Amino acid sequence: KQEVTQIPAALSVPEGENLVLNCSFTDSAIYNLQWFRQDPGKGLTSLLLIQSSQREQTSGRLNASLDKSSGRSTLYIAASQPGDSATYLCAVRPGAAGNKLTFGGGTRVLVKP
Amino acid sequence: DTEVTQTPKHLVMGMTNKKSLKCEQHMGHRAMYWYKQKAKKPPELMFVYSYEKLSINESVPSRFSPECPNSSLLNLHLHALQPEDSALYLCASSRQGEGPQHFGDGTRLSIL
């Protein structure tokens, strides 16, 4: 059974510092991995999706890497801003035919001005 | 602005009421999902519809009844809910077989 873990559960950094968020999964047979952002009381916003054949994806200040063999993905957010404060969730998809995502518990990020 | 629209945004209902949650997307996605999310927890999958047919039911109690009337709409009918069913209910959609899941802003449900 796939298990996804995000450590730490919470993170506080001063504005301008780079953020490094970790996601680990136990079964390397994944189809893709998706990073989401969730603001309090809101839905999930998709940030980046990495296919199993890819090593990284970039969008603006965000960069996500994937190492399937070690069961790890990392989300980097450069030059953090107070508006980056949110909960960040990673989720893995087991296979092309399966629509079910397995989520990590999330990392709550606070960027202090 | 989200491309998946959920109504209502908030719902308060008694344990004997019947209500429905609605979800709509116009991205041409053929897979649609219902999730339940409790505070400070990740979303939990409830149902998956693929090409308007129920493909996954995660052993959800029968007081929750999903319906997919067409490829753009997804409903969740609620009846005789319990206080522990209070949560944020999220709808999502994706291209069948690939692509990211896109989520709506959810319906905040409170059971009195």
Side-chain angles (χ1 to χ4, degrees):
Chain A
K1 178 186 172 186
Q2 178 74 272
E3 292 183 2
V4 182
T5 304
Q6 292 183 250
I7 296 174
L11 185 60
S12 179
V13 299
E15 181 178 3
E17 192 166 298
N18 295 334
L19 280 165
V20 180
L21 306 178
N22 299 306
C23 173
S24 61
F25 46 95
T26 55
D27 187 347
S28 62
I30 66 169
Y31 185 66
N32 60 38
L33 183 146
Q34 196 169 355
W35 281 95
F36 295 91
R37 167 189 172 135
Q38 186 173 31
D39 294 291
K42 296 289 189 180
L44 278 64
T45 300
S46 180
L47 297 175
L48 291 167
L49 181 140
I50 312 176
Q51 301 293 350
S52 61
S53 59
Q54 296 175 320
R55 297 284 292 183
E56 66 176 348
Q57 280 286 335
T58 298
S59 176
R61 293 185 295 114
L62 276 59
N63 174 278
S65 65
L66 175 64
D67 184 342
K68 259 184 42 172
S69 60
S70 65
R72 292 180 183 176
S73 176
T74 303
L75 178 66
Y76 300 89
I77 303 177
S80 63
Q81 303 167 359
D84 294 327
S85 298
T87 296
Y88 292 83
L89 294 139
C90 67
V92 300
R93 183 172 170 179
N99 286 321
K100 182 176 179 178
L101 294 181
T102 301
F103 282 87
T107 295
R108 292 190 306 279
V109 171
L110 175 64
V111 180
K112 295 179 287 187
Chain B
D1 288 339
T2 181
E3 296 170 311
V4 177
T5 303
Q6 291 188 242
T7 55
K9 294 188 183 304
H10 303 276
L11 179 62
V12 179
M13 56 187 288
M15 290 190 286
T16 58
N17 292 155
K18 287 184 180 181
K19 296 286 185 183
S20 297
L21 308 185
K22 297 185 183 300
C23 175
E24 187 170 6
Q25 57 88 15
H26 294 287
M27 294 179 282
H29 292 169
R30 303 307 296 272
M32 296 187 75
Y33 313 77
W34 280 116
Y35 289 86
K36 173 183 177 180
Q37 187 178 27
K38 303 285 276 187
K40 298 189 187 304
K41 296 290 186 182
E44 299 174 12
L45 183 67
M46 299 175 72
F47 303 104
V48 180
Y49 272 83
S50 176
Y51 292 98
E52 296 90 67
K53 294 191 187 305
L54 184 65
S55 61
I56 296 177
N57 178 341
E58 291 289 292
S59 303
V60 179
S62 59
R63 58 185 184 268
F64 295 91
S65 176
E67 178 196 21
C68 190
N70 60 56
S71 60
S72 299
L73 293 174
L74 186 65
N75 299 322
L76 186 62
H77 303 297
L78 314 173
H79 174 56
L81 295 194
Q82 304 297 310
E84 61 265 28
D85 297 324
S86 298
L88 181 67
Y89 287 83
L90 295 164
C91 173
S93 70
S94 70
R95 291 199 304 269
Q96 180 61 31
E98 63 183 46
Q101 289 191 17
H102 297 264
F103 283 75
D105 278 339
T107 294
R108 175 71 60 188
L109 177 65
S110 298
I111 307 300
L112 301 179

